């Protein structure tokens, strides 16, 4: 049962679609009848059929199939002649005849053809009767209720299609028939459910354009994500490229005014702004424009524009009619699939847009802009077309952190275009269309041609105003927190030292041990705070590296001396055999920090054996190795070793305290000094950490 219903529904839909397709393709009524009738015959599986349309008080035969040529020569049938068709018209009910031979048939031809059965149904659009459709079979046939219903649906759809085409004809006809057009409002609602929307839009825009003696007409729809008015295709008298490039800000030019204010505008003079919009779309020689908002209820969907090369093409009277017609167009647009699709796309894009908000800009070798994406338009407030062929610096500018303008010959763009090395920076400010500057994240990369020559660059950019604000807040929080923590930690250390020195009276052996433990814990806390401070300084680029010539071996000797007691505590041998002088380019304070870290790790993670330091020169570098016979590092842990806060979690390391920040800091510091850091390790055998620094 359910199957049947569904099948019928599918059939209905299919036929409906086919009919609407036929209707949409026919530009005028004569071309509509034949194909429409053929579809009816095919669907109902009958031998012949005919369409008669009510015109005044006669029924005019508009098409017939399977009834011979001569039937079309018959005169229209007046109501006085009666017959089955007129009965159908008068009663507005279908008529079914199983045995035609017994009936009075108005048409002689049909009477002579010897058909057995007939069904006639009225063609209705709401309460209005348009005509009658009849079909015939040679064999006697019982038409079921369902057949009849289905036939009626088809006849009514056909009637609707006919009405719609008539409407389109009316649209194009004559302005004096303004009164008839008032009905359009209702009809276009049905058009929009039945027609091929693109065709409908095209014919509406076309009719309106011609009606106002013009040769170009277009709908500009408001795009929510870009806040632009963008031309919808199909447009009348414009090329695909012109439609693509026809975009305006929602307050720009005549179109913008009409959209913003919601009023129709007529002009015989093109202002400069409007001229710019037209120029971007390469539309020239426009002398007068009619613009009206596309309003549906309280919403304005866009504007309709008609242009002419004639300076005084439009008359005062035109404005009123144009306004009425634009509201018809708005109804079609509103229900049209184009608009719906755009809406859906907009929603999908919206999600994407928020996540991929980076501007992307392409430059040629002369630093001239050849492309700007939508996100870029949004960030800067410029339209891509406005920037094309202007240099980056002329349009978006480039300012340094201190607000000084950067010279075109000294810009990072120039560098990338010259040496092809990708560059990422947060050191510059760019200018928006409004004139305000914003701090930008810039990522620059060269583009190469087929011969591997640099032909331009891609610039990815982002407004980082909020990021910077956030960073600053974070930085403040950390510095306040660490500062607040540091002071009491130092104070605690001071008091504990006093106690241990006996300044507060005698300390028993047991208390001394406990206090020594508290000193250690306090030191750990101090280390943690220092590490955190270092991380935040590095991340914010607040660490200054002062490269000087440093004698590495001397520095190692000092460090080894400091760590000897710790190694002795663990019964480890700490070895360093000075093998000459190694001068490196480094920041002594930072280098000491690196050495401390590697040495303390080697001691911490070694249960027995030795920790040895070796230095050698290699090419332009000096390499330092810190080798231990400790617990080693598993393969899986090795991959993550330099990660922030990463600590290996195995039974052997559980008792060993640490923050997981040391190696991360070491890596950053070494890299900042122009060196590299790496390691080799085997579980339960030991590890070797290496770092290189440029020779001084
Ligand atoms: P932590 O403060 O935990 O020592 P690090 O960043 O200095 O932090 O080291 C990260 C992790 O790397 C350590 O937790 C430890 O598991 C491992 N590790 C570092 N150095 C060695 C080493 N010499 N031998 C074995 N494991 C090491």
């Amino acid at each position: 049962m359910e199957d049947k219903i569904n099948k019928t529904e599918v059939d209905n839909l299919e036929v409906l679609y086919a009919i609407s397709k036929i209707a949409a393709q026919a530009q005028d009524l004569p071309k509509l009848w034949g194909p429409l009738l053929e579809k009816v015959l095919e669907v109902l599986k009958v031998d012949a059929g005919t369409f008669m349309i009510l015109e005044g008080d006669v029924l005019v035969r508009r098409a017939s199939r399977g009834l011979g040529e001569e039937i079309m020569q018959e005169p229209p049938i007046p109501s006085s002649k009666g017959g089955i068709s007129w009965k159908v018209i008068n009663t507005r009910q279908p008529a079914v005849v199983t045995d035609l031979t017994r009936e009075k048939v108005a048409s002689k031809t049909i009477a002579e053809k010897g058909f057995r059965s007939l069904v006639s149904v009225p063609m209705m659009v709401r309460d209005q009767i348009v005509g009658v459709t009849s079909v015939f079979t040679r064999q006697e046939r019982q038409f079921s209720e369902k057949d009849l219903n289905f036939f009626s649906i088809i006849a009514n759809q056909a009637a609707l299609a006919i009405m719609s085409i008539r409407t389109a004809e009316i649209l194009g006809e004559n302005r004096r028939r303004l009164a008839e057009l008032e009905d359009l409002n209702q009809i276009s609602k049905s058009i929009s459910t039945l027609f091929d929307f693109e065709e409908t839009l095209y014919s509406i825009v076309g009719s309106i354009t011609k009606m106002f003696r013009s040769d170009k007409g277009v709908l500009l729809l408001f795009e929510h994500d870009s806040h632009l008015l963008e031309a919808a295709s199909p447009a009348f008298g414009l090329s695909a490229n012109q439609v693509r490039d026809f975009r305006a800000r929602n307050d720009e030019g005549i179109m913008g005014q009409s959209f913003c204010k919601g009023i129709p505008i007529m002009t015989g003079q093109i202002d400069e702004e409007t001229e710019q919009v037209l120029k971007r779309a390469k539309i020239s020689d426009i002398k007068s424009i009619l613009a009206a908002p596309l309003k549906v209820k309280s919403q304005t969907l866009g504007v309709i524009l008609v242009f002419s090369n004639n300076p005084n093409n439009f008359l005062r009277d035109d404005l009123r009619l144009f306004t009425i017609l634009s509201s018809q167009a708005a109804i079609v647009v509103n229900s049209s699939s184009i608009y719906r699709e755009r809406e859906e796309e907009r929603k999908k894009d919206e999600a994407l847009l928020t996540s991929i908000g980076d501007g992307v800009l392409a430059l040629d070798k002369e630093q001239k802009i050849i492309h700007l994406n939508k996100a870029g338009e949004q960030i800067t407030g410029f339209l891509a077309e406005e920037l094309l062929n202007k240099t980056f610096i002329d349009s978006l500018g480039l300012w340094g952190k201190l607000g000084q303008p950067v010279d075109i010959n000294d810009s990072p763009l120039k560098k990338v275009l010259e040496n092809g090395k990708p560059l990422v920076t947060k050191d510059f400010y760019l200018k928006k269309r409004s004139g305000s500057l914003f701090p930008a994240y810039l990522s620059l990369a060269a583009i190469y041609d087929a011969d591997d020559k640099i032909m331009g660059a891609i610039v990815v950019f982002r407004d980082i105003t909020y990021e910077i604000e956030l960073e600053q807040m974070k930085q403040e929080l950390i510095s306040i927190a660490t500062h607040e923590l540091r002071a009491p930690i130092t104070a605690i250390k001071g008091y504990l030292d006093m106690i241990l020195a006996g300044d507060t009276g005698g300390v028993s052996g047991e208390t001394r041990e406990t206090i020594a433990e508290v000193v250690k814990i306090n030191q750990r806390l101090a280390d943690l705070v220092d590490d955190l401070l270092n991380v935040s300084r590095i991340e914010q680029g607040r660490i200054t590296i002062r490269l000087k010539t440093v004698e590495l071996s001397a520095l190692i000797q000092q460090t080894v001396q400091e760590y000897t007691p710790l190694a002795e505590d663990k019964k480890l041998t700490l070895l360093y055999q000075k093998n000459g002088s190694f001068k490196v380019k480094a920041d002594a304070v930072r280098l000491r920090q690196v050495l401390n870290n590697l040495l303390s790790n080697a001691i911490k993670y070694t249960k027995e054996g030795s920790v040895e330091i070796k230095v050698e020169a290699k090419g332009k570098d000096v390499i330092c190795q810190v080798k231990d016979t400790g617990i080693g590092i598993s393969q899986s842990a090795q991959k993550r070793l330099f990660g922030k806060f990463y600590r290996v979690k195995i039974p052997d390391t559980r008792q060993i305290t640490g923050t997981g920040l040391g190696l991360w800091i070491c890596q950053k510091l070494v890299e900042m000094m122009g060196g590299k850091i790496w390691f080799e390790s085997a579980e339960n055998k030991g590890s070797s950490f290496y770092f290189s620094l440029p020779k001084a």
Side-chain angles (χ1 to χ4, degrees), residues 523-562:
Q523 185 55 45
R524 243 188 273 150
L525 210 56
D527 290 346
L528 172 65
V529 170
D530 280 347
D531 274 357
L532 280 173
L533 260 177
N534 276 318
V535 170
S536 76
R537 280 187 190 139
I538 291 171
E539 281 188 333
Q540 285 149 25
R542 285 191 302 131
I543 246 174
T544 37
I545 301 279
R546 291 188 189 83
L547 294 180
K548 289 195 178 133
T549 302
V550 179
E551 222 293 301
L552 183 59
S553 353
L555 206 64
I556 294 174
Q557 269 178 327
Q558 287 169 18
T559 319
V560 166
Q561 235 170 31
E562 273 171 41

Tab-separated table of all heavy atoms in Angstrom, residues 523-562:
chain	number	residue	atom	x	y	z
A	523	GLN	N	64.446	24.861	46.725
A	523	GLN	CA	65.283	25.089	45.545
A	523	GLN	C	64.551	24.632	44.282
A	523	GLN	O	64.592	25.273	43.237
A	523	GLN	CB	66.628	24.349	45.693
A	523	GLN	CG	67.626	24.628	44.568
A	523	GLN	CD	67.879	26.134	44.399
A	523	GLN	OE1	68.075	26.849	45.389
A	523	GLN	NE2	67.838	26.610	43.161
A	524	ARG	N	63.843	23.494	44.424
A	524	ARG	CA	63.084	22.977	43.288
A	524	ARG	C	62.020	23.984	42.852
A	524	ARG	O	61.801	24.218	41.681
A	524	ARG	CB	62.406	21.654	43.686
A	524	ARG	CG	62.905	20.493	42.857
A	524	ARG	CD	62.087	19.274	43.139
A	524	ARG	NE	62.596	18.543	44.276
A	524	ARG	CZ	61.848	17.827	45.095
A	524	ARG	NH1	60.529	17.781	44.947
A	524	ARG	NH2	62.381	17.159	46.089
A	525	LEU	N	61.394	24.557	43.859
A	525	LEU	CA	60.362	25.557	43.588
A	525	LEU	C	60.985	26.757	42.862
A	525	LEU	O	60.438	27.271	41.882
A	525	LEU	CB	59.763	26.006	44.925
A	525	LEU	CG	58.317	26.453	44.924
A	525	LEU	CD1	57.416	25.379	44.373
A	525	LEU	CD2	57.900	26.809	46.360
A	526	ALA	N	62.168	27.142	43.318
A	526	ALA	CA	62.871	28.266	42.696
A	526	ALA	C	63.212	27.930	41.246
A	526	ALA	O	63.053	28.763	40.342
A	526	ALA	CB	64.133	28.582	43.484
A	527	ASP	N	63.659	26.667	41.026
A	527	ASP	CA	64.008	26.242	39.659
A	527	ASP	C	62.784	26.288	38.752
A	527	ASP	O	62.848	26.732	37.602
A	527	ASP	CB	64.569	24.814	39.663
A	527	ASP	CG	65.957	24.765	40.302
A	527	ASP	OD1	66.556	25.857	40.480
A	527	ASP	OD2	66.428	23.652	40.627
A	528	LEU	N	61.663	25.801	39.306
A	528	LEU	CA	60.435	25.766	38.517
A	528	LEU	C	60.028	27.189	38.105
A	528	LEU	O	59.735	27.464	36.942
A	528	LEU	CB	59.308	25.098	39.322
A	528	LEU	CG	57.920	25.165	38.682
A	528	LEU	CD1	57.878	24.371	37.386
A	528	LEU	CD2	56.857	24.635	39.633
A	529	VAL	N	60.078	28.084	39.062
A	529	VAL	CA	59.715	29.468	38.761
A	529	VAL	C	60.662	30.046	37.719
A	529	VAL	O	60.241	30.704	36.768
A	529	VAL	CB	59.715	30.307	40.062
A	529	VAL	CG1	59.589	31.787	39.751
A	529	VAL	CG2	58.573	29.862	40.961
A	530	ASP	N	61.946	29.739	37.849
A	530	ASP	CA	62.914	30.231	36.862
A	530	ASP	C	62.634	29.673	35.474
A	530	ASP	O	62.693	30.393	34.476
A	530	ASP	CB	64.339	29.852	37.284
A	530	ASP	CG	64.855	30.818	38.352
A	530	ASP	OD1	64.196	31.868	38.536
A	530	ASP	OD2	65.883	30.511	38.978
A	531	ASP	N	62.351	28.361	35.443
A	531	ASP	CA	62.051	27.739	34.146
A	531	ASP	C	60.842	28.403	33.501
A	531	ASP	O	60.849	28.727	32.307
A	531	ASP	CB	61.757	26.237	34.328
A	531	ASP	CG	63.053	25.422	34.311
A	531	ASP	OD1	64.114	26.043	34.097
A	531	ASP	OD2	62.990	24.192	34.504
A	532	LEU	N	59.801	28.594	34.309
A	532	LEU	CA	58.582	29.205	33.773
A	532	LEU	C	58.859	30.609	33.252
A	532	LEU	O	58.401	30.994	32.184
A	532	LEU	CB	57.500	29.266	34.849
A	532	LEU	CG	56.749	27.955	35.080
A	532	LEU	CD1	55.819	28.082	36.277
A	532	LEU	CD2	55.960	27.545	33.838
A	533	LEU	N	59.654	31.333	34.008
A	533	LEU	CA	60.023	32.686	33.574
A	533	LEU	C	60.769	32.648	32.244
A	533	LEU	O	60.510	33.435	31.340
A	533	LEU	CB	60.925	33.327	34.628
A	533	LEU	CG	60.244	34.301	35.581
A	533	LEU	CD1	61.241	34.799	36.603
A	533	LEU	CD2	59.655	35.467	34.806
A	534	ASN	N	61.694	31.677	32.149
A	534	ASN	CA	62.462	31.539	30.912
A	534	ASN	C	61.567	31.218	29.732
A	534	ASN	O	61.710	31.789	28.657
A	534	ASN	CB	63.502	30.424	31.063
A	534	ASN	CG	64.758	30.955	31.726
A	534	ASN	OD1	65.196	32.053	31.394
A	534	ASN	ND2	65.311	30.195	32.658
A	535	VAL	N	60.633	30.274	29.960
A	535	VAL	CA	59.738	29.885	28.865
A	535	VAL	C	58.954	31.100	28.395
A	535	VAL	O	58.871	31.380	27.194
A	535	VAL	CB	58.775	28.762	29.316
A	535	VAL	CG1	57.692	28.542	28.271
A	535	VAL	CG2	59.545	27.470	29.553
A	536	SER	N	58.388	31.837	29.336
A	536	SER	CA	57.552	32.952	28.894
A	536	SER	C	58.389	34.022	28.209
A	536	SER	O	57.968	34.630	27.239
A	536	SER	CB	56.721	33.518	30.048
A	536	SER	OG	57.520	34.298	30.873
A	537	ARG	N	59.609	34.207	28.692
A	537	ARG	CA	60.467	35.193	28.026
A	537	ARG	C	60.811	34.771	26.604
A	537	ARG	O	60.788	35.565	25.679
A	537	ARG	CB	61.774	35.359	28.804
A	537	ARG	CG	61.590	36.253	29.995
A	537	ARG	CD	62.934	36.525	30.621
A	537	ARG	NE	62.776	37.171	31.885
A	537	ARG	CZ	63.498	36.875	32.961
A	537	ARG	NH1	64.413	35.937	32.893
A	537	ARG	NH2	63.316	37.523	34.081
A	538	ILE	N	61.133	33.467	26.454
A	538	ILE	CA	61.488	32.977	25.111
A	538	ILE	C	60.290	33.112	24.184
A	538	ILE	O	60.391	33.613	23.066
A	538	ILE	CB	61.964	31.506	25.174
A	538	ILE	CG1	63.313	31.428	25.892
A	538	ILE	CG2	62.069	30.906	23.771
A	538	ILE	CD1	63.783	30.017	26.198
A	539	GLU	N	59.128	32.677	24.685
A	539	GLU	CA	57.934	32.701	23.828
A	539	GLU	C	57.570	34.117	23.412
A	539	GLU	O	57.025	34.333	22.340
A	539	GLU	CB	56.756	32.050	24.555
A	539	GLU	CG	56.842	30.533	24.491
A	539	GLU	CD	55.624	29.837	25.027
A	539	GLU	OE1	54.945	30.419	25.897
A	539	GLU	OE2	55.360	28.708	24.583
A	540	GLN	N	57.832	35.047	24.259
A	540	GLN	CA	57.472	36.421	23.915
A	540	GLN	C	58.612	37.171	23.246
A	540	GLN	O	58.511	38.364	22.992
A	540	GLN	CB	57.042	37.157	25.184
A	540	GLN	CG	55.661	36.742	25.629
A	540	GLN	CD	55.511	36.824	27.126
A	540	GLN	OE1	56.225	37.586	27.773
A	540	GLN	NE2	54.606	36.045	27.664
A	541	GLY	N	59.677	36.440	22.978
A	541	GLY	CA	60.815	37.074	22.315
A	541	GLY	C	61.447	38.140	23.184
A	541	GLY	O	62.037	39.102	22.688
A	542	ARG	N	61.287	37.986	24.505
A	542	ARG	CA	61.828	39.019	25.384
A	542	ARG	C	63.228	38.695	25.861
A	542	ARG	O	63.806	39.405	26.670
A	542	ARG	CB	60.897	39.215	26.591
A	542	ARG	CG	59.634	39.988	26.241
A	542	ARG	CD	58.886	40.393	27.471
A	542	ARG	NE	58.525	39.234	28.276
A	542	ARG	CZ	58.740	39.139	29.578
A	542	ARG	NH1	59.342	40.105	30.213
A	542	ARG	NH2	58.356	38.066	30.234
A	543	ILE	N	63.747	37.560	25.370
A	543	ILE	CA	65.083	37.197	25.811
A	543	ILE	C	66.090	37.844	24.868
A	543	ILE	O	65.923	37.771	23.647
A	543	ILE	CB	65.219	35.655	25.835
A	543	ILE	CG1	65.403	35.216	27.273
A	543	ILE	CG2	66.358	35.176	24.979
A	543	ILE	CD1	65.417	33.764	27.489
A	544	THR	N	67.031	38.528	25.411
A	544	THR	CA	68.026	39.132	24.520
A	544	THR	C	69.297	38.292	24.560
A	544	THR	O	69.753	37.869	25.622
A	544	THR	CB	68.358	40.582	24.949
A	544	THR	OG1	68.360	40.629	26.368
A	544	THR	CG2	67.370	41.559	24.395
A	545	ILE	N	69.798	38.035	23.393
A	545	ILE	CA	71.008	37.234	23.287
A	545	ILE	C	72.139	38.173	22.887
A	545	ILE	O	72.039	38.848	21.858
A	545	ILE	CB	70.828	36.139	22.194
A	545	ILE	CG1	69.644	35.218	22.539
A	545	ILE	CG2	72.111	35.366	21.938
A	545	ILE	CD1	69.955	34.134	23.524
A	546	ARG	N	73.141	38.251	23.722
A	546	ARG	CA	74.289	39.107	23.372
A	546	ARG	C	75.460	38.208	23.005
A	546	ARG	O	76.099	37.608	23.876
A	546	ARG	CB	74.663	39.992	24.561
A	546	ARG	CG	73.615	41.037	24.825
A	546	ARG	CD	74.048	42.047	25.860
A	546	ARG	NE	72.908	42.870	26.194
A	546	ARG	CZ	71.967	42.531	27.084
A	546	ARG	NH1	72.053	41.388	27.739
A	546	ARG	NH2	70.948	43.330	27.310
A	547	LEU	N	75.680	38.107	21.706
A	547	LEU	CA	76.735	37.200	21.246
A	547	LEU	C	78.110	37.845	21.411
A	547	LEU	O	78.337	38.961	20.953
A	547	LEU	CB	76.506	36.827	19.781
A	547	LEU	CG	75.244	36.001	19.495
A	547	LEU	CD1	75.119	35.701	18.015
A	547	LEU	CD2	75.236	34.706	20.300
A	548	LYS	N	78.967	37.112	22.107
A	548	LYS	CA	80.351	37.580	22.282
A	548	LYS	C	81.261	36.373	22.112
A	548	LYS	O	80.784	35.245	22.019
A	548	LYS	CB	80.539	38.125	23.700
A	548	LYS	CG	79.814	39.431	23.916
A	548	LYS	CD	80.325	40.102	25.169
A	548	LYS	CE	79.615	41.437	25.343
A	548	LYS	NZ	79.137	41.612	26.695
A	549	THR	N	82.545	36.602	22.105
A	549	THR	CA	83.447	35.462	22.047
A	549	THR	C	83.562	34.850	23.445
A	549	THR	O	83.863	35.548	24.409
A	549	THR	CB	84.843	35.898	21.547
A	549	THR	OG1	84.658	36.496	20.280
A	549	THR	CG2	85.788	34.722	21.434
A	550	VAL	N	83.262	33.571	23.522
A	550	VAL	CA	83.279	32.914	24.831
A	550	VAL	C	84.236	31.729	24.759
A	550	VAL	O	84.246	30.978	23.781
A	550	VAL	CB	81.860	32.400	25.192
A	550	VAL	CG1	81.869	31.689	26.542
A	550	VAL	CG2	80.856	33.545	25.198
A	551	GLU	N	85.029	31.588	25.786
A	551	GLU	CA	85.945	30.446	25.847
A	551	GLU	C	85.171	29.268	26.444
A	551	GLU	O	84.883	29.235	27.641
A	551	GLU	CB	87.158	30.821	26.713
A	551	GLU	CG	88.480	30.336	26.137
A	551	GLU	CD	88.598	28.828	26.132
A	551	GLU	OE1	88.507	28.231	27.211
A	551	GLU	OE2	88.750	28.243	25.046
A	552	LEU	N	84.812	28.324	25.593
A	552	LEU	CA	83.919	27.242	26.008
A	552	LEU	C	84.553	26.358	27.088
A	552	LEU	O	83.911	26.011	28.085
A	552	LEU	CB	83.519	26.405	24.781
A	552	LEU	CG	82.541	25.269	25.028
A	552	LEU	CD1	81.232	25.768	25.612
A	552	LEU	CD2	82.243	24.503	23.730
A	553	SER	N	85.825	26.010	26.891
A	553	SER	CA	86.445	25.080	27.839
A	553	SER	C	86.472	25.649	29.252
A	553	SER	O	86.222	24.929	30.226
A	553	SER	CB	87.863	24.711	27.406
A	553	SER	OG	88.152	25.232	26.149
A	554	ALA	N	86.710	26.974	29.330
A	554	ALA	CA	86.744	27.595	30.658
A	554	ALA	C	85.378	27.516	31.317
A	554	ALA	O	85.250	27.192	32.507
A	554	ALA	CB	87.182	29.047	30.536
A	555	LEU	N	84.381	27.758	30.523
A	555	LEU	CA	83.012	27.730	31.038
A	555	LEU	C	82.656	26.316	31.514
A	555	LEU	O	82.037	26.126	32.565
A	555	LEU	CB	82.057	28.172	29.926
A	555	LEU	CG	80.762	28.788	30.388
A	555	LEU	CD1	81.011	30.082	31.139
A	555	LEU	CD2	79.859	29.062	29.183
A	556	ILE	N	83.105	25.327	30.733
A	556	ILE	CA	82.807	23.941	31.107
A	556	ILE	C	83.508	23.604	32.431
A	556	ILE	O	82.916	23.021	33.335
A	556	ILE	CB	83.248	22.951	29.996
A	556	ILE	CG1	82.391	23.195	28.745
A	556	ILE	CG2	83.088	21.505	30.464
A	556	ILE	CD1	82.818	22.400	27.542
A	557	GLN	N	84.739	24.062	32.513
A	557	GLN	CA	85.492	23.777	33.747
A	557	GLN	C	84.756	24.299	34.983
A	557	GLN	O	84.612	23.594	35.980
A	557	GLN	CB	86.879	24.410	33.657
A	557	GLN	CG	87.900	23.460	33.082
A	557	GLN	CD	89.267	24.099	32.947
A	557	GLN	OE1	89.390	25.304	32.688
A	557	GLN	NE2	90.295	23.277	33.115
A	558	GLN	N	84.262	25.529	34.862
A	558	GLN	CA	83.525	26.110	36.005
A	558	GLN	C	82.284	25.282	36.332
A	558	GLN	O	81.995	24.971	37.478
A	558	GLN	CB	83.078	27.532	35.673
A	558	GLN	CG	84.200	28.545	35.653
A	558	GLN	CD	83.729	29.876	35.054
A	558	GLN	OE1	82.538	30.140	34.973
A	558	GLN	NE2	84.688	30.679	34.641
A	559	THR	N	81.561	24.921	35.280
A	559	THR	CA	80.317	24.173	35.494
A	559	THR	C	80.609	22.819	36.143
A	559	THR	O	79.910	22.396	37.070
A	559	THR	CB	79.584	23.957	34.145
A	559	THR	OG1	79.671	25.148	33.392
A	559	THR	CG2	78.129	23.607	34.353
A	560	VAL	N	81.641	22.162	35.629
A	560	VAL	CA	81.996	20.848	36.169
A	560	VAL	C	82.306	20.972	37.664
A	560	VAL	O	81.867	20.149	38.465
A	560	VAL	CB	83.190	20.244	35.389
A	560	VAL	CG1	83.793	19.057	36.134
A	560	VAL	CG2	82.737	19.817	33.995
A	561	GLN	N	83.023	22.039	37.981
A	561	GLN	CA	83.360	22.260	39.389
A	561	GLN	C	82.102	22.375	40.251
A	561	GLN	O	81.989	21.757	41.304
A	561	GLN	CB	84.149	23.552	39.503
A	561	GLN	CG	85.467	23.345	40.193
A	561	GLN	CD	86.329	24.582	40.067
A	561	GLN	OE1	85.829	25.704	40.010
A	561	GLN	NE2	87.631	24.362	40.025
A	562	GLU	N	81.137	23.138	39.736
A	562	GLU	CA	79.889	23.330	40.477
A	562	GLU	C	79.136	22.022	40.684
A	562	GLU	O	78.512	21.812	41.714
A	562	GLU	CB	78.963	24.274	39.705
A	562	GLU	CG	79.181	25.732	39.995
A	562	GLU	CD	78.395	26.587	39.029
A	562	GLU	OE1	77.235	26.253	38.729
A	562	GLU	OE2	78.963	27.587	38.538
